[in-house]
Amino acid sequence: NAGVTQTPKFRVLKTGQSMTLLCAQDMNHEYMYWYRQDPGMGLRLIHYSVGEGTTAKGEVPDGYNVSRLKKQNFLLGLESAAPSQTSVYFCASSILLTYEQYFGPGTRLTVT
Amino acid sequence: GQQVMQIPQYQHVQEGEDFTTYCNSSTTLSNIQWYKQRPGGHPVFLIQLVKSGEVKKQKRLTFQFGEAKKNSSLHITATQTTDVGTYFCAGLHGDYKLSFGAGTTVTVRA
């Protein structure tokens, strides 16, 4: 039981490049989330999904897209990376009843 | 912007002392959760409070939920070096999403 895994762990992009971050969970959780963490700002919600095939915008969705084609996977895409997207990205999943969130190990992204 | 405010942002504690971190929401919360993130790690769930006035304890950690369900606190007694990290509160406002506070980063002087 791996819990929540994230790929890759580190990435450096040049401005304008694109990439996809992959999140996978093996706990059969319905809900999945993408957050970004910046110093002094806590965790800010980018997008979330309440089930396979559904996604919704969070607090800071601009510049990101997501897809949830399978229940266990939640993908975060950056179409044209900007230096402002330099951050640590965390994926999380939760069960319907308690919303207790299980976080992945994070992806550290630097955009130059 | 964030709907949940957390203070203080930093807490420097002498080993063995107590401290408290506070969390305040502008709106009533369905529940409040607390997470701990060790340096270089990811947030880990500590506890959830649901009822008005609820108090829960985990060894040296005491969590409280206010009567109006708009504020919460985490009190740690006899701080140890293992308590180092950032503590986040997160409030559920009635939908599927949690609003995280900015966190209190705790350092301990031995």
Side-chain angles (χ1 to χ4, degrees), chain A residues 33 37 41 48 98 101 104, chain B residues 2 35 37 42 48 96-97:
Chain A
Y33 310 81
Q37 184 174 37
M41 303 196 70
Y48 65 101
T98 66
Q101 308 220 334
Chain B
Q2 288 177 343
Y35 292 78
Q37 184 177 23
H42 59 275
Q48 177 178 259
Y96 310 110
K97 309 184 297 290

Side-chain angles (χ1 to χ4, degrees), chain B residues 49-62:
Chain B
L49 304 170
V50 179
K51 299 176 183 177
S52 169
E54 189 170 14
V55 178
K56 288 188 176 181
K57 292 189 177 183
Q58 287 182 350
K59 297 183 181 179
R60 295 177 295 100
L61 278 61
T62 301

Side-chain angles (χ1 to χ4, degrees), chain B residues 34-107:
Chain B
W34 286 88
Y35 292 78
K36 178 181 179 180
Q37 184 177 23
R38 295 183 185 276
H42 59 275
V44 175
F45 175 83
L46 292 176
I47 209 161
Q48 177 178 259
L49 304 170
V50 179
K51 299 176 183 177
S52 169
E54 189 170 14
V55 178
K56 288 188 176 181
K57 292 189 177 183
Q58 287 182 350
K59 297 183 181 179
R60 295 177 295 100
L61 278 61
T62 301
F63 303 84
Q64 292 189 328
F65 201 9
E67 294 291 338
K69 300 184 73 174
K70 288 185 175 182
N71 56 73
S72 181
S73 65
L74 160 59
H75 181 76
I76 299 182
T77 59
T79 304
Q80 300 177 358
T81 55
T82 54
D83 295 324
V84 164
T86 301
Y87 294 83
F88 294 98
C89 62
L92 186 67
H93 294 267
D95 52 16
Y96 310 110
K97 309 184 297 290
L98 290 176
S99 293
F100 281 82
T104 294
T105 298
V106 177
T107 55

Side-chain angles (χ1 to χ4, degrees), chain A residues 73-87:
Chain A
N73 295 337
F74 196 26
L75 278 63
L76 177 71
L78 285 73
E79 292 183 345
S80 180
S84 60
Q85 294 178 304
T86 293
S87 188

Side-chain angles (χ1 to χ4, degrees), chain B residues 19-33:
Chain B
F19 75 90
T20 303
T21 174
Y22 300 90
C23 190
N24 292 288
S25 171
S26 57
T27 59
T28 303
L29 301 170
S30 300
N31 71 45
I32 194 153
Q33 302 178 12

